[in-house]
Amino acid sequence: MGELQFQSQYRARVKEHKPIILKTRDHDLLEVDEDVAYECLTIQAMSKQLGPKNDPPVRVFMVPLSTKLLKSIIDYCKFQVEWREFVHDNPSESQKAKLKAWDAQYEKLDFNSICDLLLAASYMDVPAMTKMLSKLASTRMPRGAKENRKDPKGDGSSTQSS
Amino acid sequence: MGGVMKPMGNCAESELKFDNAACDLQLSGIGFEELPESCIAHVLCFLSPRDIAISACTNRTFRGASLSDVVWQAKLPRDYTEVLAKAKDGARAFDTKKQIFDYLCSNVPLRGHEVEFLTQTNVEMQNRLNFDFYWLSRSRAVVYRSQGAEALDVVWGSDRRYWHWRNRRGSSYDKSAYLKQVCWLHVKGSMECSLPVGRYTLSWRFALEQSVWGFALPIELAMSVNDHETVHKLVFLKNGQSSSEAEDPSGDEYVEEVDTAWKKLYVGDFSVEEGEKDSGLGRVKLQYSLVETRGGNWKSGLWLDGVVIMPK
């Protein structure tokens, strides 16, 4: 199926607000708007795989994540969709403050939660979330992982001699 | 980790991009060191090359992640394909982005364009091959550039009575310019290149022989950025101090210990602004000169290796 055809079908479905149902590992069912769910490129890929001919009225996908983690991912996707819809090139001061507050909530998490979320975001393939969490994790990496090892000689610490 | 992958809905396994290790997702308290290689690679993108190398020692997964193209692609400057195209032996095939990074960290000679100079002695055009060098700092992945002395326009430079061209221990290039003796010291050069956006400094790389003499008067240093003169100052060569006085108070007659090591003579700073939107790069045209022609006295004992552009 061509990319253009898929895009026009996607736009048509968004207007109808066809929801997608995600079944979590804890056997909970989460109903999600299609445009929000499509922020997860994994789900978008799976929908594409179904194709227009096999288009059932309701699509159910099984996601091997806990309900709690999946909800966090969906929340992020919702925020992204809203941001894109209501904020254009120049965000206002209040919108910028809202974005800052949104990012700040992730900074409050402990390192293990960040790792869990990172793995989930990477699995669901939400690029912006993966990038944000990776950056956060890189600042929080335990020093032990970096320091308790012998520095390989001649690798990484030499600069161009003058 | 491992385990059989459970398919999600009606999808082909090959469509999904995730590690097999991730599919048996026991996600409570997974710990950083158990993350799959792809996730760790995303995290390593944000570390310095030195920290990446240290992290690589943690375990096999980290080592694999540290070698991945994702990590090193992020470290390469945005115009690395153009740099490789201009590099003298950059056309060879590289297997990984890390290899490209390692190559760019070595002193990469760029194939030059021909530059025309007007010489003092006669008004004919001289074609010279411009030898610029490019390298990345291994620890911070920032761009440095330099230009060798052979690419400079040295007045009387081709006359063996006045200037010699040979190698000195510690010089960055095959040949540096050695001032045997001259009364008209006039060296200039120019460079037009693209650099990542930021602030840089320009310096001359020079050295003095123990037998140096004739530099009681200060040297005039000038620099133009994009055809606007931004620096014009007088500097004493021996101690690098700026001068507002006519002569070096310490004078030339006193025998003092001369430091013969290669040093940098700081000229000035310049900024590179973004050229194309979102490219992170800008083009800059620099012209620089080192002159001492007012005093008319003879001078000797100066080595010039070229100029160096360093990020601030």
Side-chain angles (χ1 to χ4, degrees):
Chain A
M1 179 175 53
E3 193 61 38
L4 282 171
Q5 282 176 298
F6 178 70
Q7 289 290 351
S8 62
Q9 291 224 353
Y10 164 59
R11 274 191 217 105
R13 278 206 208 124
V14 165
K15 284 185 198 151
E16 299 166 9
H17 270 288
K18 262 190 168 177
I20 290 180
I21 308 234
L22 300 174
K23 187 171 180 186
T24 71
R25 202 181 64 193
D26 310 328
H27 306 294
D28 291 323
L29 296 172
L30 293 179
E31 189 176 313
V32 185
D33 273 351
E34 190 182 62
D35 50 351
V36 171
Y38 275 16
E39 290 292 308
C40 303
L41 299 180
T42 309
I43 297 190
Q44 205 180 91
M46 289 193 307
S47 266
K48 209 169 160 179
Q49 193 66 22
L50 288 177
K53 290 178 191 168
N54 305 334
D55 191 16
V58 176
R59 287 159 293 167
V60 181
F61 295 119
M62 289 194 295
V63 176
L65 294 177
S66 67
T67 309
K68 185 175 160 213
L69 271 176
L70 187 58
K71 273 190 179 159
S72 305
I73 306 275
I74 298 298
D75 281 344
Y76 190 92
C77 296
K78 264 189 201 153
F79 183 84
Q80 266 199 172
V81 169
E82 279 168 13
W83 182 264
R84 224 176 289 139
E85 209 173 302
F86 294 114
V87 177
H88 300 286
D89 279 334
N90 292 319
S92 68
E93 288 307 315
S94 63
Q95 284 166 339
K96 280 186 196 167
K98 199 178 172 193
L99 178 64
K100 210 171 168 185
W102 177 262
D103 286 340
Q105 69 177 326
Y106 294 99
E107 284 160 30
K108 288 182 198 154
L109 297 174
D110 67 294
F111 186 64
N112 281 333
S113 305
I114 294 174
C115 290
D116 291 349
L117 259 182
L118 173 58
L119 184 49
S122 161
Y123 178 82
M124 298 296 278
D125 202 357
V126 187
M129 194 177 186
T130 311
K131 190 172 174 184
M132 184 266 294
L133 289 170
S134 306
K135 196 166 181 184
L136 201 51
S138 72
T139 58
R140 300 268 206 95
M141 255 174 76
R143 298 294 289 175
K146 289 199 274 184
E147 277 176 356
N148 284 352
R149 312 287 166 167
K150 190 172 158 204
D151 190 349
K153 225 178 177 186
D155 186 347
S157 56
S158 62
T159 52
Q160 176 73 24
S161 58
S162 55
Chain B
M1 273 250 184
V4 178
M5 188 174 81
K6 293 178 175 49
M8 275 169 57
N10 307 325
C11 60
E13 292 173 17
S14 57
E15 288 280 291
L16 305 177
K17 320 171 226 124
F18 55 88
D19 290 323
N20 278 337
C23 58
D24 195 20
L25 294 163
Q26 302 293 334
L27 284 187
S28 46
I30 189 167
F32 184 55
E33 293 183 13
E34 281 85 48
L35 281 175
E37 199 174 291
S38 54
C39 285
I40 294 175
H42 283 301
V43 175
L44 292 185
C45 283
F46 294 99
L47 297 182
S48 69
R50 183 173 182 273
D51 285 340
I52 293 172
I54 296 174
S55 304
C57 305
T58 308
N59 60 34
R60 215 170 283 168
T61 315
F62 271 71
R63 180 163 165 72
S66 75
L67 296 173
S68 84
D69 276 355
V70 168
V71 173
W72 296 102
Q73 173 78 44
K75 295 280 167 261
L76 291 173
R78 293 201 206 182
D79 59 344
Y80 78 93
T81 43
E82 281 103 35
V83 175
L84 285 179
K86 277 192 212 156
K88 281 190 91 187
D89 55 350
R92 64 178 201 230
F94 292 96
D95 292 325
T96 65
K97 295 282 187 287
K98 183 166 201 293
Q99 280 183 356
I100 300 180
F101 181 82
D102 288 337
Y103 172 68
L104 291 178
C105 285
S106 62
N107 219 358
V108 176
L110 300 180
R111 212 178 300 117
H113 49 277
E114 287 175 13
V115 178
E116 293 162 358
F117 286 113
L118 277 170
T119 62
Q120 174 87 40
T121 49
N122 44 32
V123 192
E124 66 181 35
M125 295 295 191
Q126 268 197 7
N127 288 329
R128 293 229 197 118
L129 283 174
N130 202 338
F131 257 72
D132 292 349
F133 287 78
Y134 177 108
W135 69 94
L136 295 179
S137 133
R138 189 171 277 281
S139 53
R140 286 165 53 211
V142 287
V143 173
Y144 289 67
R145 278 191 184 258
S146 73
Q147 188 174 65
E150 287 182 276
L152 299 171
D153 179 16
V154 179
V155 174
W156 298 106
S158 48
D159 194 327
R160 279 194 62 81
R161 292 175 290 172
Y162 308 125
W163 289 89
H164 286 180
W165 296 82
R166 50 179 202 258
N167 190 273
R168 184 189 196 247
R169 193 183 44 184
S171 67
S172 308
Y173 311 101
D174 285 338
K175 288 194 187 148
S176 309
Y178 173 64
L179 174 59
K180 190 155 179 274
Q181 59 174 359
V182 87
C183 60
W184 186 273
L185 175 62
H186 189 144
V187 181
K188 64 176 192 243
S190 71
M191 193 194 287
E192 195 169 342
C193 56
S194 103
L195 285 167
V197 166
R199 284 192 69 74
Y200 295 85
T201 65
L202 179 86
S203 308
W204 289 88
R205 189 155 184 262
F206 78 104
L208 298 174
E209 279 293 310
Q210 186 63 39
S211 54
V212 65
W213 51 268
F215 285 103
L217 287 176
I219 305 279
E220 259 176 75
L221 295 178
M223 178 170 89
S224 295
V225 181
N226 296 329
D227 297 320
H228 300 292
E229 190 174 73
T230 54
V231 172
H232 194 119
K233 62 183 185 183
L234 297 170
V235 168
F236 287 115
L237 212 51
K238 282 200 192 153
N239 52 26
Q241 282 173 17
S242 300
S243 143
S244 49
E245 296 157 19
E247 279 200 20
D248 182 349
S250 65
D252 212 22
E253 287 74 22
Y254 301 119
V255 173
E256 47 193 60
E257 196 59 45
V258 174
D259 179 6
T260 57
W262 285 104
K263 289 186 280 230
K264 290 211 177 67
L265 187 60
Y266 169 74
V267 178
D269 296 347
F270 62 94
S271 290
V272 176
E273 308 290 327
E274 192 171 57
E276 260 180 53
K277 195 168 185 285
D278 290 338
S279 64
L281 300 165
R283 285 204 72 84
V284 70
K285 182 175 164 190
L286 297 165
Q287 287 150 321
Y288 29 85
S289 63
L290 187 151
V291 175
E292 208 305 288
T293 52
R294 295 171 306 137
N297 54 310
W298 288 85
K299 309 163 244 302
S300 167
L302 168 70
W303 284 92
L304 274 181
D305 201 33
V307 294
V308 183
I309 293 172
M310 295 185 289
K312 227 179 146 126

